[in-house]
Amino acid sequence: MQRLIDLSLGGFVRAIALAIAVYAAVDIRLYAVRDYGRIIHEFDPWFNYRATVYLADNGWSKFKTWFDYMSWYPLGRPVGTTIYPGMQITAVFLWRVFNAIGLKMSLNDVCVFFPAYFAAVATFLVALLTKECSGSGTGAVVAALVMAIVPAHTMRSVAGGYDNESLAVTAMCLTFYTWCRALRTPKSWWVGGLAGLAYTYMVAAWGGYTFVLNMVGLHAAVLVLYKRYSSSLYKAYSLFFVVGTIGALQFPVVGTLPFTSAEQLGPMGVFLGFQVLEFVERTMKPGMESREKWQRRIRMYTLAFAAAIGAITVLSATGVYNINGLSVRVKSLFIKHTKTGNPLVDSVAEHQPGNADSYYRFLHFNYFIAPIGFCFSVVHFMFDGSAGALFLPLYGLVAYYFANRMVRLIIFLGPVAACLVGVCIGYAIEDALSIMRNDDIEQAETPSETETPKSAKKKSKQAAYKKPEPLSVTVKRDMTKWWMSSTGMSQPSIMFKGQLNDGRTVMVKDYVEAYDWLRTQTPEDARVMAWWDYGYQITGIGNRTSIADGNTWNHEHIANLARMLTSDEAKAHKVIRHLADYVLVWAGGGGDDMAKSPHLFRIGASIGSGRATAVEMEKITSTFGVDRSGRPTPKMASSLLFKLVSPQGSVSPEHFREVYTSKYRKVRIYEVVNVDEGSKAWVADPANRMCDNADGTGFCPGAYPPALKKFPSIIKPAYKVPAWIKAKRAAAKSAKSAAKDEL
């Protein structure tokens, strides 16, 4: 009876602790709202919000064919076929549901609170995953408490940070939980279908879905190596792969990648291998000796492998089937940072490798406890033998490798670190309680023959007593992670708190006010040139056309933008007057455009005739910068960017006219003098777009105005007409000509 009471009490305590974790997951992410209001943060979230508004206003049919001419001017961007729409669809769905049930919320507010909502769901799913893989209910609760506040997750899920990862982590945890749940018993294989649906949601949410797919495929393959293969594993993985692949194919941004991408061939190989493996095992004759079975297996596996290689070779040779190589960002996971060959990728700080400092910053004490939980999980698998018990160690190893290659991917490490910490502490607590319970039973059943004298008890108690640390020290240590996860990661990039020389704290809103000025004080068709970092905010807040943004799909176009900004002022103006009406720069020190200018110059130098070696590139880029005394090199001093940003420089009024400077001089906006209206009209004319169909309703990218052909030293052709567009245009022209002949 006492044991039942203990179990009931333990379950109640765990339920309360889990509720606290879910509440904390939301509360800690609302500091940004309390301090800065209901505003979208950062850069990418502004595009996501703009896309959400478009979906809400125009519906799915128009959204999936949306070609945005306000971004990547003059080329434009086919948003409907280049976006992962899961977050936008979910946000619009929640917005409509909330308002339908009487909870009136604006779409902006739904998007602001969106990351906090899904952080709570992710916290709960981490608890389920931990319980499924470890069998420890206490460990599940501890994992949830860690997940609620671990900075590795908070950094992408603060309220206002309306970014894909805020949903993707939740979808990833759901996929992993349902996959492991499918392996619990031989009869639970059907849950693999639910795992496939969860994976489909992950595909809709973020391009990192390939990590999830490969993680599940790796787990299934390693289970076979550890002789854990069974028909239920075969059914679960096959169902997961088929349902997930069919779901992934529904999104235009994915297309045929599940069959042609080198990044996804591994899981497909596991799927095909499982078919051969199951066929061989099911067709084994009863009574065959072990040696005969292995001989048959080797023959069948060799035959299947040879057939697969032959089929791929023939299909590739005939052009029917081609495998795409690894993307630059995936390649960067296997080669040294700054050596990827793409200076645009190398310039992003988040692509730097992880190190001990970054691990401690984003994982805090979990960085030291998780390895112990890893060892416990391995031991649990060795003795328990369940398929799910192997998942956390594998997940931990793979996530640690990728985080070690790219610091941004610490986001993958957050959930598994929470799980492993939960395993470690959960097992320790449960073992301690079990020992205490057994000791109580033994003491009750075996009374001591002699009692310890009171004086001895007192001395023993005094010997065991340790003076506690001051409360301030304990609170300071324990609150470090809480502070970083709340206040430390709740500061948006578009406003911040600053301190004046007189000690007063002020809210610096220079960036928001500058974009507001664009929206209210410039013509609706104004084109704004700025470095690609700010493109999303120019279109999202300022509602004006930008030259480039964070999508960074076209390296050559961004390189052209960099060359214009880092070229001599007079030369740059000759080109810019054909593409922009205003130029916006970030100034005022810190991470302004002057701090970024060496990266701009390197990116600009990466295109042109021939390909510079690493040594040649270093020699080229060393001419643009500052010397040891902080003085700019001649090339930097004459550049347009230096003259627009640095207090030491100034532009000619014949080229650019400063029309706006923010309150604290963080943003400056210049009007381009003598804009070429002919080039502007040429780009705006639909007849000059390269559509892939006759009626101009399909994929219709723009092109550079012809006048820019006169400046090959600065701007390079950034868009070549694809062969398939040329073929369609020729076919449409031929059909139109034939129709005229008939008339």
Side-chain angles (χ1 to χ4, degrees), residues 218-238:
L218 177 65
H219 183 224
V222 174
L223 286 173
V224 176
L225 296 179
Y226 273 92
K227 299 180 181 180
R228 298 295 194 274
Y229 179 78
S230 64
S231 290
S232 60
L233 172 62
Y234 159 76
K235 293 176 183 177
Y237 184 77
S238 297

Side-chain angles (χ1 to χ4, degrees), residues 2 22 42 53 218 225 247 390 399 406 417 428 461 471 474 558 613 616 620-621 648 684:
Q2 180 64 37
V22 173
E42 308 307 324
V53 172
L218 177 65
L225 296 179
L390 180 63
M406 186 182 293
K461 186 175 181 180
L471 180 62
T474 305
I558 290 182
T613 64
E616 291 172 338
I620 293 171
T621 55
Q648 305 172 40

Side-chain angles (χ1 to χ4, degrees), residues 70-122:
M70 287 186 64
S71 63
W72 288 85
Y73 183 87
L75 309 179
R77 174 190 173 187
V79 178
T81 58
T82 60
I83 190 176
Y84 293 93
M87 186 168 61
Q88 285 77 16
I89 295 172
T90 304
V92 172
F93 173 78
L94 291 176
W95 173 60
R96 290 175 176 169
V97 169
F98 289 160
N99 284 274
I101 63 177
L103 183 60
K104 300 300 181 183
M105 290 185 69
S106 67
L107 188 57
N108 175 84
D109 289 353
V110 171
C111 294
V112 166
F113 290 109
F114 188 96
Y117 296 156
F118 282 88
V121 179

Side-chain angles (χ1 to χ4, degrees), residues 339-416:
K339 302 298 182 182
T340 65
N342 188 327
L344 180 60
V345 173
D346 297 340
S347 69
V348 180
E350 290 180 336
H351 294 168
Q352 296 177 0
N355 52 45
D357 290 339
S358 59
Y359 293 139
Y360 186 76
R361 180 186 179 195
F362 292 109
L363 297 176
H364 207 254
F365 66 83
N366 306 300
Y367 178 48
F368 305 105
I369 301 178
I372 303 175
F374 174 86
C375 296
F376 285 178
S377 296
V378 172
V379 172
H380 176 62
F381 170 71
M382 299 302 293
F383 284 92
D384 178 81
S386 64
L390 180 63
F391 185 79
L392 290 183
L394 274 180
Y395 179 13
L397 284 175
V398 175
Y400 177 74
Y401 171 81
F402 287 131
N404 203 40
R405 304 300 301 179
M406 186 182 293
V407 69
R408 177 186 182 182
L409 298 183
I410 284 182
I411 190 172
F412 287 149
L413 204 53
V416 71

